[in-house]
Amino acid sequence: MDEHTGGLGADTGRAPDPGEPFLGRDAELARLFRAVDQASADPVLMLVGDVGTGKSALLDRAVRRAEAGGARVLRAEGSEAESSLAYAALHQLLRPVAAEVDALPERQRAALHTAFGTGPETYPRLRAGQDTAAPDLMLIGVAVLSLLSALGDQHPVLVVLDDAQWCDRASLDALSFAARRLEGEPVTMLIGARADDQLPGFDRRLPTLALGPLDTTTAARLLDLQPQRPTGRTRQRILDQAGGNPLALVELTRVATASDATASATTAPDAAALPPAGPLPLTARLERIFAARLTGLPATTTRALLLLAAMDSVDSAPAVLAGLPRADDEAWPPAEQAGLVRRTGRDVRFRHPLVRSAVYHAASPDARREAHLRLAGMLRDEPDRRAWHRAAACPGPDAAVSADLERTAARALRRGGHAAAAKALERAADLAPRREDGARLLVEAASAAVFTGDITWVEQLTAGARARTDDAALLTAAAVQAGRLAVLTVRHAVVFSRLADAAEQLTPARPAAALDLLSGAAVVSFYSGDDAQRQRVQDLLRSLPDDAALTDVRTWVKAVSDPVVDRAELLGLLPQSVADARTRPERLTTVGIMAWLLDETPRAVRAFDEAFDRWETQGALPEGLGGAVAWAYVERGRWDQAREACARTTAVGRAAGLDHAVACAAAVDATVLAFQGDAAAARARAEEALALVDPLESRSVAVYARRALGAAAAAAGAHETAYDQLRMVFTAVGAPVHHHASYPALADLAAAAVRCGRRAEATATVERAAHALADNASPRLRALISRARGLLADPEDPEDAEAHFRAALADPEREHWPFEHAQTLLDLAEWLRRRRRVAEARGPLTAALETFRRLGARPWTERARAESRAAGLDVTDPTPDALAELSPQQRQIVRLAARGLTNREIGEQLFLSPRTVGSHLYRSFPKLGITARAQLRDLIEGPLTVVGHEG
């Protein structure tokens, strides 16, 4: 019933004893077998339990079941020692399929090779020692997904990750990315982890199989099956102490029966040699049991055990394996007889992770140092492992070892291993002889830890730096790093106060750093929508000196904190910002966000397009206000790209535990889904966004989600519900809940109001907004207000309504917001037809229908088609009907395929496997009435034919 840990040997597979007692887990085993047989709808299953509950034993049996059924099994075991080595677990998992990795598309193959540190032999830039960007986390995830899918073309695949709580963070990020996209693939993923250990990137809502204690009857049966069955008081004490834990039952029985000869000579033979029940927790008591078995072992055995305990995992170097006694060496039988190891062929393994821990911690500090130094000497060709062993052997500060770890961190960063780099730098700081060097290393560690999303760790590292130095530059850098991540969390009120206070303190002496912190505070104030926060940002900005070198940052702070009142001034500065960004492409995204905030969506999209062409905006964390990219694409009518941006933000945000970023993406995604007519999916995504944030702390997300819910309701014809949702975007007195996000909802609020009899209430809200915006309203907002006024106009005053509709359509630039423009065209056409001006209605109807069809806005397409028929038009347009049968994701895939992209290329863009893409296309072709991929372009891009007739 023991679990298994990464003892070292030439054989990486498991060989459990099939005769070991295995009781009380029938239901759990049946659940695992259903998953392995792919009879379950869940492609991923978590197996959680305390130490000794039998997770590994269950996984062993699942593996044997899968192999007997012809499945390809990939297995990796987390190792506490290797949790600091980037991609160690993923490399262990994929090492048996190295040939298949090399068959991946070039970008995916390169990303995996770089992650595994095997790039220098393959890619000249690395071989020449040149710096290179870290591999894209999303591309690594896509590569893993593509690989698993390709393996599934040949056989079902079972991925087993045991002791996942000890897997390195980079591996967990890549595997969790793939795990969320396994639906429809012949791949099952089983993950074993300790109870109460939350795995980064793995959703808490994943199907989970929890292993509890055995019941009393089953525990008693397990004792009866032991080689020497305990009885009497000893039996009861074992049952009491074990608490139903299978490992404890077996090992406590072993302790009791091993001392029978001694115990029988005492006056209390049933007392045996059992440890007391308290005060140590069960895990510690078991570890003491294992440690006690070391007493009396030969010195050669003890040394071999300690070397085995100090080693990393099954993925160790051949040089290390050669340094261990062979499995048939005389050093091992005493350890095996003591129940510490198990030998299988050439493989020697600890019987349980607690044995490894017990052996290691029972040794003296000098003996442990000697073991690590010996291992370091064997690992001259593996500098990262060598550095960690040297660090483990250090009794105190050591400049050389600290430098080794710093180099290890640099290599980890080049491979995208931010958590591994931060751990190496943190340990390097501990070993740095000079306090100032330690502080510098901790700040660098915080910079790397930012990309893990672990705000608590970042704050601990920055606090450690503050404790080591009073250097103003380092302390400022520490504050900036902590603030950089804090901006992306949901703790808006706390984070804003911290950033604003730090900016105020730094203003007199370090204005540039103060402005950096203030830019973060401005982003937080945008997310929160708190007017008092925005006012404080503006007050602090005025207190900073007007330095020409900091104009870009000042402009950013102004745009984020008040894009309405300062719009005219900011528009004047925008051309220079755009020009500057052409020589500094890393600023293109920032310029694009500013343009979006100012309702200059065409400029924003051009900047984002150029950023994607010239600069990798696909970093390891979402940018501040990164949702602006997706929103700009939505507004510009490029919905596929908007959903791609949402998918990337969601993947990164989930991997880093950044719920606010995930919520932002969910709200945008929900809006597109609503526009496309998938009301149920839109509601689910919007509700996900609301569940991830506190609406009072994240007013921006709350408003975006309500707008999406309103659009979903309108698409379904539930206008009362649509109005109720959109009315929540404004306060009870009609003021905007959010200074930027609320205003674009005005026209849709009016459209819902007139369909459910709430005209007067909506009119008050629209007029209040118009008065508040006054001359500061952008042309886009003026057009939306005009559309709202046209919809809400007095039915007895027809000229008034028409004037407002015409004003909303007057600016030719309005076509840059195609969906909003088409909505206004349709409103005008409906108004004209109702007044029997049918001929005049046909032009706007034709234009609106063409736009809705091109966008894939199914509900509005259907409404425009119905209105066209009522206006006496024959509409020949088979494509919208065909596309309407597809899901939003299928439409996205079909459009990309029509542009000539292969399944692999589509998969890379949408973060899907080629198999999933192909499956969607296969199911889509019959609905589209086509039989070949070559027909897609004509189908999607063919002209819309509208033939008018008198009727």
Side-chain angles (χ1 to χ4, degrees):
M1 292 300 299
D2 60 321
E3 292 179 36
H4 186 67
T5 190
L8 282 243
D11 180 11
T12 62
R14 299 230 182 180
D17 179 3
E20 251 183 10
F22 191 79
L23 301 173
R25 300 299 189 201
D26 292 346
E28 292 88 344
L29 195 58
R31 177 69 181 85
L32 284 176
F33 283 178
R34 285 199 303 276
V36 166
D37 297 340
Q38 299 192 337
S40 167
D42 301 318
V44 182
L45 180 62
M46 298 280 292
L47 183 64
V48 301
D50 293 330
V51 171
T53 50
K55 297 184 297 294
S56 294
L58 281 166
L59 291 174
D60 287 337
R61 283 156 176 78
V63 166
R64 292 205 297 273
R65 171 83 166 212
E67 289 174 337
R72 182 69 177 269
V73 177
L74 300 177
R75 187 167 191 170
E77 301 163 20
S79 164
E80 195 168 9
E82 286 198 343
S83 62
S84 301
L85 298 174
Y87 296 107
L90 186 64
H91 186 234
Q92 184 189 149
L93 189 79
L94 301 185
R95 185 175 57 178
V97 289
E100 287 84 350
V101 168
D102 287 337
L104 288 171
E106 182 179 355
R107 291 180 67 237
Q108 297 177 26
R109 181 177 68 247
L112 281 179
H113 277 297
T114 303
F116 294 155
T118 55
E121 290 76 24
T122 310
Y123 302 99
R125 284 178 62 193
L126 291 174
R127 186 167 59 244
Q130 299 174 14
D131 192 18
T132 183
D136 181 357
L137 168 63
M138 300 302 100
L139 191 56
I140 292 172
V142 169
V144 173
L145 181 62
S146 297
L147 177 64
L148 295 178
S149 181
L151 291 170
D153 288 336
Q154 305 165 27
H155 305 281
V157 177
L158 176 64
V159 177
V160 177
L161 197 63
D162 199 2
D163 286 327
Q165 74 278 353
W166 288 330
C167 287
D168 64 277
R169 176 62 183 273
S171 294
L172 288 176
D173 287 344
L175 290 169
S176 64
F177 177 96
R180 288 190 292 272
R181 292 161 176 81
L182 290 179
E183 187 175 353
E185 301 287 343
V187 180
T188 300
M189 189 177 290
L190 301 180
I191 302 166
R194 296 274 178 90
D196 302 323
D197 279 316
Q198 176 60 39
L199 298 183
F202 284 92
D203 196 300
R204 299 175 183 88
R205 292 169 290 183
L206 275 175
T208 300
L209 185 58
L211 298 184
L214 300 179
D215 60 45
T216 303
T217 301
T218 306
R221 286 179 58 205
L222 181 58
L223 292 186
D224 290 339
L225 289 171
Q226 298 309 302
Q228 291 182 280
R229 175 175 173 270
T231 60
R233 185 180 167 198
T234 298
R235 180 186 183 90
Q236 191 57 50
R237 287 193 63 196
I238 291 171
L239 289 170
D240 290 343
Q241 287 196 33
N245 183 287
L247 177 68
L249 288 163
V250 172
E251 297 304 329
L252 289 171
T253 298
R254 194 187 297 262
V255 169
T257 56
S259 57
D260 271 353
T262 302
S264 63
T266 70
T267 58
D270 58 348
L274 291 177
L280 293 176
L282 178 61
T283 297
R285 295 205 303 276
L286 286 170
E287 192 167 333
R288 284 194 172 186
I289 289 172
F290 291 131
R293 295 180 194 166
L294 295 168
T295 305
L297 291 178
T300 54
T301 301
T302 303
R303 284 195 297 271
L305 285 170
L306 179 56
L307 195 62
L308 188 62
M311 291 166 68
D312 290 338
S313 79
V314 292
D315 191 28
S316 192
V320 174
L321 298 179
L324 268 181
R326 293 167 56 90
D328 57 2
D329 190 279
E330 62 182 12
W332 297 118
E336 191 170 31
Q337 292 162 11
L340 299 174
V341 298
R342 177 184 290 126
R343 292 185 295 170
T344 306
R346 295 178 299 160
D347 188 28
V348 180
R349 294 174 177 272
F350 285 116
R351 293 188 64 250
H352 191 274
L354 291 182
V355 179
R356 172 195 284 262
S357 179
V359 169
Y360 186 81
H361 292 291
S364 69
D366 287 342
R368 290 201 295 266
R369 282 196 292 272
E370 181 183 345
H372 283 294
L373 287 173
R374 184 177 172 188
L375 290 167
M378 299 174 189
L379 287 164
R380 297 190 182 280
D381 293 332
E382 295 196 37
D384 296 338
R385 296 177 190 274
R386 182 172 185 269
W388 278 107
H389 281 299
R390 291 188 68 198
C394 276
D398 187 309
V401 177
S402 178
D404 268 357
L405 286 170
E406 193 172 358
R407 287 188 286 271
T408 287
R411 285 189 290 271
L413 284 175
R414 286 197 294 272
R415 295 162 59 193
H418 300 285
K423 287 181 180 179
L425 289 164
E426 185 177 19
R427 180 66 175 132
D430 291 339
L431 296 175
R434 297 179 62 248
R435 290 176 63 83
E436 288 296 317
D437 287 337
R440 173 185 61 80
L441 290 166
L442 285 175
V443 172
E444 292 179 12
S447 301
V450 160
F451 295 99
T452 69
D454 190 339
I455 184 65
T456 302
W457 189 16
V458 172
E459 290 174 344
Q460 288 171 348
L461 292 167
T462 56
R466 286 193 295 272
R468 283 171 167 82
T469 185
D470 55 6
D471 182 283
L474 273 178
L475 293 177
T476 300
V480 169
Q481 291 307 329
R484 183 183 182 192
L485 177 57
V487 164
L488 299 172
T489 70
V490 296
R491 300 157 47 188
H492 298 320
V494 172
V495 168
F496 178 83
S497 295
R498 187 176 299 169
L499 291 173
D501 290 349
E504 189 169 13
Q505 292 169 9
L506 287 169
T507 292
R510 305 185 70 82
L515 195 53
D516 272 342
L517 291 168
L518 190 59
S519 69
V523 171
V524 175
S525 74
F526 182 93
Y527 285 146
S528 74
D530 186 292
D531 289 336
Q533 290 181 3
R534 292 197 302 125
Q535 186 59 53
R536 189 176 181 198
V537 168
Q538 293 161 19
D539 291 344
L540 287 171
L541 187 62
R542 283 189 287 270
S543 71
L544 285 162
D546 194 0
D547 185 342
L550 302 176
T551 298
D552 285 347
V553 187
R554 290 184 70 94
T555 303
W556 165 260
V557 174
K558 281 188 176 183
V560 172
S561 61
D562 202 338
V564 175
V565 172
D566 292 330
R567 185 173 187 276
E569 176 191 352
L570 292 166
L571 276 178
L573 297 172
L574 193 58
Q576 186 59 48
S577 296
V578 172
D580 291 344
R582 299 196 188 285
T583 58
R584 296 170 58 196
E586 71 276 9
R587 281 194 45 78
L588 280 166
T589 300
T590 301
V591 170
I593 293 171
M594 287 194 295
W596 173 76
L597 288 166
L598 298 172
D599 270 338
E600 293 290 310
T601 303
R603 286 191 189 184
V605 168
R606 284 196 296 272
F608 295 144
D609 285 346
E610 191 171 352
F612 279 103
D613 288 341
R614 299 181 58 197
W615 186 259
E616 283 293 328
T617 58
Q618 304 172 355
L621 281 184
E623 295 287 339
L625 291 184
V629 177
W631 275 119
Y633 284 133
V634 171
E635 293 167 8
R636 194 69 182 85
R638 289 161 58 172
W639 295 350
D640 289 347
Q641 285 170 284
R643 296 204 70 201
E644 290 168 28
C646 290
R648 175 169 292 278
T649 300
T650 299
V652 174
R654 281 179 174 160
L658 297 174
D659 286 349
H660 192 267
V662 176
C664 288
V668 185
D669 205 31
T671 303
V672 177
L673 288 166
F675 290 168
Q676 292 176 329
D678 194 340
R683 285 193 296 271
R685 289 290 273 153
E687 286 162 4
E688 177 187 353
L690 290 171
L692 287 169
V693 300
D694 178 348
L696 296 179
E697 283 241 26
S698 297
R699 292 175 181 84
S700 60
V701 171
V703 166
Y704 294 139
R706 295 296 174 193
R707 282 170 51 184
L709 288 168
H719 301 297
E720 185 81 39
T721 301
Y723 182 81
D724 289 342
Q725 292 291 345
L726 293 169
R727 185 63 184 81
M728 294 173 71
V729 168
F730 298 89
T731 67
V733 297
V737 169
H738 188 275
H739 63 279
H740 185 270
S742 291
Y743 288 124
L746 287 167
D748 290 335
L749 175 76
V754 296
R755 287 170 170 81
C756 65
R758 311 285 281 277
R759 187 186 302 267
E761 185 181 349
T763 299
T765 301
V766 169
E767 293 308 321
R768 178 181 178 126
H771 178 75
L773 288 167
D775 294 337
N776 294 317
S778 67
R780 177 200 177 198
L781 288 182
R782 287 200 297 272
L784 289 173
I785 290 170
S786 292
R787 178 191 167 213
R789 284 170 166 166
L791 288 163
L792 297 168
D794 186 345
E796 303 302 319
D797 186 1
E799 289 77 11
D800 185 43
E802 183 174 4
H804 288 308
F805 284 134
R806 299 290 184 190
L809 295 168
D811 187 350
E813 292 292 309
R814 287 293 298 134
E815 293 187 19
H816 291 308
W817 289 264
F819 183 64
E820 293 172 5
H821 185 66
Q823 285 179 302
T824 308
L825 287 170
L826 180 57
D827 290 336
L828 173 61
E830 289 175 334
W831 185 89
L832 289 169
R833 188 187 63 78
R834 286 195 299 271
R835 279 149 188 80
R836 303 183 185 280
R837 296 162 62 178
V838 175
E840 294 176 70
R842 289 173 181 163
L845 270 176
T846 301
L849 181 56
E850 170 62 25
T851 298
F852 291 141
R853 183 200 68 80
R854 175 172 54 82
L855 293 174
R858 186 177 65 183
W860 283 266
T861 300
E862 292 171 353
R863 183 176 140 201
R865 284 168 60 82
E867 187 66 25
S868 296
R869 286 191 293 269
L873 294 174
D874 281 340
V875 182
T876 304
D877 182 18
T879 302
D881 286 343
L883 288 176
E885 295 297 316
L886 306 182
S887 71
Q889 187 173 65
Q890 286 173 337
R891 290 197 290 271
Q892 201 174 9
I893 289 170
V894 163
R895 288 192 174 93
L896 291 173
R899 285 161 44 188
L901 275 68
T902 67
N903 288 2
R904 289 189 182 277
E905 290 169 336
I906 295 170
E908 281 192 12
Q909 285 203 28
L910 303 184
F911 313 117
L912 301 170
S913 73
R915 177 196 300 276
T916 300
V917 173
S919 176
H920 279 302
L921 287 173
Y922 177 80
R923 294 197 299 270
S924 299
F925 280 15
K927 297 176 184 178
L928 296 172
I930 62 174
T931 58
R933 198 182 189 105
Q935 297 171 269
L936 282 174
R937 182 170 182 178
D938 289 340
L939 180 72
I940 300 302
E941 299 181 3
L944 172 71
T945 304
V946 179
V947 181
H949 67 79
E950 297 297 325

